């Protein structure tokens, strides 16, 4: 799994081909999402003592899985129906799951930019590599040119950010 993660981070085509043909990659992607989400929460100030409480841990993991599924769904809809790309939802789910550890750059971006007034810069800095990985995966899975794949990956990120802000203001999540 970690070999494929390194290949994904390096944007190697072999990793995306493997994700396309290996159903086991979905489980590996879910594990990567859970580990990354836990590290994100620890890196943004939650104490380990607080994190090991069952209610907090479950909330953190559900939040990560929710983002993963929502981002994948938004990206899939944009690519399939607006950009007329190909591919199955399962492959997009795997690509996004393997890209998820790149979101750990959000922690670095937060330290670099800091403060709530720089929140858009934190999202751009932390999400850039994530979006690039997803873009590379979409070019393979959807058989799209890179500019169209980038539109799909960024569109999914924007859609999820907007939905999280809306749902967050409703105090649902």
């Amino acid at each position: 799994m970690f070999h494929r993660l390194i290949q994904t981070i390096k944007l190697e085509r072999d990793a995306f081909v493997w994700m396309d043909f290996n159903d086991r990659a979905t489980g590996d992607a879910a594990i990567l999402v859970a580990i990354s989400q836990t590290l994100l929460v620890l890196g943004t100030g939650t104490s380990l003592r607080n994190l090991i409480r069952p209610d907090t841990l479950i909330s953190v993991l559900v939040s990560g899985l929710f983002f993963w599924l929502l981002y994948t769904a938004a990206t899939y809809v944009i690519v399939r129906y607006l950009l007329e790309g190909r591919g199955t939802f399962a492959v997009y789910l795997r690509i996004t799951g393997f890209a998820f550890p790149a979101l750990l750059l959000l922690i670095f971006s937060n330290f670099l930019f800091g403060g709530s007034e720089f929140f858009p810069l934190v999202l751009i800095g932390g999400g850039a590599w994530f979006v690039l990985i997803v873009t590379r995966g979409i070019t393979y899975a959807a058989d799209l040119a890179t500019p169209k794949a980038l539109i799909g990956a960024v569109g999914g990120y924007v859609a999820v950010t907007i939905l999280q802000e809306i749902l967050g203001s409703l105090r649902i999540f």
Side-chain angles (χ1 to χ4, degrees):
M1 172 173 66
F2 290 108
H3 172 68
R4 296 297 180 185
L5 174 61
I6 298 300
Q7 284 183 318
T8 304
I9 290 171
K10 291 167 53 178
L11 304 175
E12 293 180 6
R13 187 175 188 278
D14 288 347
F16 301 109
V17 172
W18 175 79
M19 287 179 219
D20 190 14
F21 292 105
N22 191 342
D23 291 341
R24 193 191 81 177
T26 306
D28 291 349
I31 291 168
L32 289 172
V33 169
I35 291 169
S36 299
Q37 182 67 15
T38 303
L39 292 174
L40 276 168
V41 169
L42 286 173
T44 55
T46 302
S47 69
L48 185 58
R49 176 180 286 184
N50 193 24
L51 184 63
I52 60 174
R53 291 184 26 214
D55 60 329
T56 304
L57 185 59
I58 289 170
S59 173
V60 164
L61 294 177
V62 167
S63 174
L65 292 174
F66 181 75
F67 174 85
W68 179 39
L69 291 172
L70 194 59
Y71 176 81
T72 303
T75 303
Y76 178 76
V77 167
I78 290 168
V79 171
R80 280 289 288 195
Y81 299 107
L82 297 178
L83 302 175
E84 298 176 358
R86 293 186 239 169
T88 64
F89 182 78
V91 174
Y92 285 71
L93 194 64
R94 295 173 196 142
I95 290 168
T96 306
F98 271 82
F100 205 89
L103 289 175
L104 292 172
L105 290 173
L106 283 168
I107 297 168
F108 175 75
S109 298
N110 193 33
F111 288 132
L112 185 65
F113 299 115
S116 61
E117 65 273 5
F118 295 110
F119 184 70
L121 290 176
V122 170
L123 283 178
I124 291 168
W129 197 250
F130 172 81
V131 168
L132 286 175
I133 292 171
V134 173
T135 299
R136 177 71 170 117
I138 290 172
T139 58
Y140 166 77
D143 196 26
L144 285 177
T146 302
K148 277 189 166 183
L150 182 62
I151 289 169
V154 171
Y157 201 78
V158 169
V160 168
T161 302
I162 291 170
L163 282 172
Q164 284 181 328
E165 288 298 317
I166 291 169
L167 294 176
S169 69
L170 297 175
R171 306 247 187 253
I172 294 173
F173 295 97

